[in-house]
Coordinates of all heavy atoms in Angstrom, one line a residue:
S210 N -104.5 50.3 13.0 CA -104.0 51.3 13.9 C -103.6 50.7 15.2 O -102.6 51.1 15.9 CB -105.0 52.4 14.1 OG -106.1 51.9 14.7
S211 N -104.3 49.7 15.7 CA -103.9 49.0 17.0 C -102.6 48.3 16.9 O -101.8 48.3 17.8 CB -105.0 48.1 17.4 OG -105.1 47.0 16.6
M212 N -102.3 47.7 15.7 CA -101.1 47.0 15.5 C -99.9 48.0 15.4 O -98.9 47.8 16.0 CB -101.1 46.1 14.2 CG -99.8 45.4 13.9 SD -99.4 44.2 15.1 CE -100.3 42.9 14.6
A213 N -100.2 49.1 14.7 CA -99.2 50.1 14.6 C -98.9 50.7 16.0 O -97.7 51.1 16.3 CB -99.6 51.2 13.6
G214 N -99.9 50.9 16.8 CA -99.7 51.5 18.1 C -98.9 50.6 19.0 O -98.1 51.0 19.8
A215 N -99.1 49.3 18.9 CA -98.4 48.3 19.7 C -96.9 48.3 19.3 O -96.0 48.3 20.2 CB -99.0 46.9 19.6
V216 N -96.7 48.3 18.0 CA -95.3 48.3 17.6 C -94.6 49.6 17.9 O -93.4 49.7 18.2 CB -95.2 48.0 16.1 CG1 -93.8 48.1 15.5 CG2 -95.8 46.6 15.8
R217 N -95.3 50.7 17.8 CA -94.7 52.0 18.1 C -94.2 52.1 19.5 O -93.3 52.9 19.7 CB -95.8 53.1 17.8 CG -95.3 54.2 17.0 CD -96.3 55.3 16.7 NE -97.2 54.9 15.7 CZ -98.5 55.1 15.6 NH1 -99.1 55.7 16.6 NH2 -99.2 54.7 14.6
K218 N -94.7 51.4 20.4 CA -94.3 51.4 21.8 C -93.0 50.7 22.0 O -92.3 50.9 22.9 CB -95.3 50.8 22.7 CG -96.6 51.6 22.8 CD -97.5 50.9 23.8 CE -98.8 51.8 23.9 NZ -99.7 51.2 24.8
L219 N -92.6 49.8 21.0 CA -91.4 49.0 21.2 C -90.6 49.0 19.9 O -91.1 48.4 18.9 CB -91.7 47.6 21.6 CG -90.5 46.7 21.8 CD1 -89.6 47.2 23.0 CD2 -90.8 45.3 22.0
L220 N -89.5 49.6 19.9 CA -88.6 49.5 18.7 C -87.3 48.8 19.2 O -86.7 49.2 20.1 CB -88.2 50.9 18.2 CG -89.3 51.7 17.6 CD1 -88.9 53.1 17.3 CD2 -89.8 51.0 16.3
P221 N -87.0 47.6 18.5 CA -85.9 46.8 19.0 C -84.6 47.6 18.8 O -84.4 48.4 17.9 CB -85.9 45.6 18.0 CG -87.3 45.6 17.4 CD -87.8 47.0 17.4
L222 N -83.6 47.3 19.6 CA -82.3 47.9 19.5 C -81.3 46.9 18.8 O -81.5 45.7 18.9 CB -81.8 48.2 20.9 CG -82.5 49.2 21.7 CD1 -81.9 49.4 23.1 CD2 -82.5 50.6 21.0
F223 N -80.3 47.5 18.2 CA -79.2 46.8 17.5 C -79.7 45.7 16.6 O -80.5 45.9 15.7 CB -78.2 46.3 18.6 CG -77.7 47.4 19.4 CD1 -78.0 47.5 20.7 CD2 -76.9 48.4 18.8 CE1 -77.5 48.6 21.5 CE2 -76.4 49.4 19.6 CZ -76.7 49.5 20.9
D224 N -79.4 44.4 16.9 CA -79.7 43.3 16.0 C -80.9 42.5 16.4 O -81.1 41.4 16.0 CB -78.5 42.4 15.8 CG -78.2 41.6 17.1 OD1 -78.5 42.2 18.2 OD2 -77.6 40.6 17.1
R225 N -81.8 43.1 17.2 CA -83.0 42.5 17.7 C -84.1 42.6 16.6 O -84.2 43.6 15.9 CB -83.5 43.1 19.0 CG -82.5 43.2 20.0 CD -82.5 41.9 20.9 NE -81.7 42.2 22.1 CZ -80.9 41.3 22.6 NH1 -80.8 40.1 22.0 NH2 -80.2 41.5 23.6
V226 N -85.0 41.6 16.6 CA -86.1 41.5 15.7 C -87.4 41.2 16.4 O -87.4 40.2 17.2 CB -85.8 40.4 14.6 CG1 -87.0 40.3 13.6 CG2 -84.5 40.7 13.8
L227 N -88.4 41.9 16.3 CA -89.7 41.7 16.9 C -90.6 40.9 15.9 O -90.8 41.3 14.8 CB -90.4 43.0 17.3 CG -91.7 42.9 18.1 CD1 -91.3 42.4 19.5 CD2 -92.3 44.3 18.2
V228 N -91.0 39.7 16.4 CA -91.7 38.8 15.5 C -93.1 38.4 16.2 O -93.2 38.3 17.4 CB -90.9 37.5 15.3 CG1 -91.7 36.5 14.5 CG2 -89.6 37.8 14.7
Q229 N -94.1 38.3 15.3 CA -95.4 37.8 15.8 C -95.6 36.4 15.2 O -95.5 36.3 13.9 CB -96.5 38.7 15.3 CG -97.9 38.3 15.9 CD -99.0 39.3 15.6 OE1 -98.9 40.0 14.6 NE2 -100.0 39.3 16.4
R230 N -95.7 35.4 16.0 CA -95.8 34.0 15.6 C -97.1 33.8 14.8 O -98.1 34.4 15.1 CB -95.8 33.0 16.7 CG -94.4 32.8 17.3 CD -94.4 31.7 18.3 NE -93.1 31.5 18.8 CZ -92.3 30.5 18.5 NH1 -92.7 29.6 17.7 NH2 -91.1 30.4 19.1
V231 N -97.1 32.9 13.8 CA -98.3 32.6 13.1 C -99.1 31.6 13.9 O -98.6 30.8 14.6 CB -97.9 31.8 11.8 CG1 -99.1 31.3 11.0 CG2 -97.1 32.8 10.9
V232 N -100.4 31.8 13.9 CA -101.4 31.0 14.7 C -101.4 29.6 14.1 O -101.5 29.4 12.9 CB -102.8 31.6 14.7 CG1 -103.7 30.8 15.5 CG2 -102.7 33.1 15.2
A233 N -101.4 28.6 15.0 CA -101.5 27.2 14.6 C -102.8 26.9 14.0 O -103.9 27.4 14.3 CB -101.2 26.3 15.8
E234 N -102.8 25.9 13.0 CA -104.0 25.5 12.3 C -104.9 24.7 13.3 O -104.4 23.8 14.0 CB -103.7 24.6 11.1 CG -103.0 25.4 10.0 CD -103.9 26.3 9.3 OE1 -105.1 26.0 9.2 OE2 -103.4 27.3 8.8
T235 N -106.1 25.0 13.4 CA -107.1 24.3 14.3 C -108.0 23.4 13.5 O -108.7 22.6 14.1 CB -107.9 25.3 15.1 OG1 -108.7 26.1 14.2 CG2 -107.1 26.2 16.0
K236 N -107.9 23.5 12.2 CA -108.8 22.7 11.3 C -108.0 22.1 10.2 O -107.2 22.8 9.6 CB -109.9 23.6 10.8 CG -111.2 22.8 10.5 CD -112.2 23.8 9.8 CE -113.1 24.4 10.8 NZ -114.3 25.0 10.2
T237 N -108.3 20.8 9.8 CA -107.6 20.2 8.7 C -108.3 20.7 7.4 O -109.4 21.3 7.4 CB -107.7 18.7 8.8 OG1 -109.1 18.3 8.7 CG2 -107.0 18.2 10.0
K238 N -107.7 20.3 6.3 CA -108.3 20.7 5.0 C -109.7 20.0 4.8 O -110.5 20.5 4.1 CB -107.4 20.3 3.8 CG -106.1 21.1 3.8 CD -105.3 20.7 2.6 CE -104.0 21.5 2.7 NZ -103.1 21.2 1.6
G239 N -109.9 18.9 5.4 CA -111.1 18.1 5.3 C -112.2 18.7 6.3 O -113.3 18.2 6.3
G240 N -111.8 19.6 7.2 CA -112.8 20.2 8.1 C -112.8 19.6 9.5 O -113.7 20.0 10.3
V241 N -111.9 18.7 9.8 CA -111.9 18.1 11.1 C -111.2 19.1 12.1 O -110.1 19.6 11.8 CB -111.1 16.8 11.0 CG1 -111.0 16.1 12.4 CG2 -111.8 15.8 10.1
L242 N -111.8 19.3 13.2 CA -111.2 20.1 14.2 C -110.1 19.4 15.0 O -110.3 18.2 15.4 CB -112.2 20.7 15.2 CG -113.3 21.6 14.6 CD1 -114.3 21.9 15.7 CD2 -112.6 22.9 14.2
L243 N -109.0 20.0 15.2 CA -107.8 19.4 15.9 C -107.8 19.8 17.4 O -108.0 21.0 17.6 CB -106.5 19.8 15.3 CG -106.3 19.3 13.8 CD1 -105.0 19.9 13.3 CD2 -106.2 17.8 13.8
P244 N -107.6 18.9 18.3 CA -107.5 19.3 19.7 C -106.1 20.0 19.9 O -105.2 19.8 19.1 CB -107.6 18.0 20.5 CG -107.2 17.0 19.5 CD -107.6 17.5 18.2
E245 N -106.0 20.7 21.0 CA -104.7 21.4 21.2 C -103.5 20.5 21.3 O -102.4 20.9 20.9 CB -104.8 22.3 22.5 CG -105.7 23.5 22.3 CD -105.6 24.4 23.5 OE1 -104.6 24.4 24.2 OE2 -106.6 25.2 23.7
S246 N -103.7 19.3 21.9 CA -102.6 18.4 22.0 C -102.1 17.9 20.7 O -100.9 17.5 20.6 CB -103.0 17.2 22.9 OG -104.1 16.5 22.3
A247 N -102.9 17.9 19.6 CA -102.5 17.4 18.3 C -102.0 18.5 17.4 O -101.4 18.2 16.4 CB -103.7 16.8 17.6
Q248 N -102.1 19.8 17.8 CA -101.6 20.9 17.0 C -100.1 21.0 17.2 O -99.6 20.9 18.3 CB -102.3 22.2 17.4 CG -103.8 22.2 17.1 CD -104.4 23.5 17.7 OE1 -103.7 24.4 18.2 NE2 -105.7 23.5 17.6
S249 N -99.4 21.2 16.1 CA -98.0 21.4 16.2 C -97.7 22.9 16.4 O -98.5 23.8 16.0 CB -97.3 21.0 14.9 OG -97.8 21.8 13.8
S250 N -96.7 23.2 17.2 CA -96.3 24.6 17.4 C -95.8 25.2 16.1 O -94.9 24.6 15.5 CB -95.3 24.7 18.6 OG -94.1 24.2 18.2
P251 N -96.3 26.4 15.8 CA -95.8 27.0 14.5 C -94.4 27.5 14.7 O -94.0 28.1 15.6 CB -96.8 28.1 14.3 CG -97.3 28.5 15.7 CD -97.3 27.2 16.4

Side-chain angles (χ1 to χ4, degrees):
S210 66
S211 68
M212 179 64 82
V216 174
R217 229 180 276 141
K218 289 183 181 180
L219 179 69
L220 292 173
L222 296 176
F223 302 112
D224 65 337
R225 307 270 193 220
V226 179
L227 188 66
V228 176
Q229 186 173 24
R230 283 188 183 254
V231 174
V232 179
E234 292 289 328
T235 59
K236 206 185 264 193
T237 63
K238 292 181 182 180
V241 177
L242 293 174
L243 296 172
E245 285 187 29
S246 60
Q248 294 175 8
S249 62
S250 65

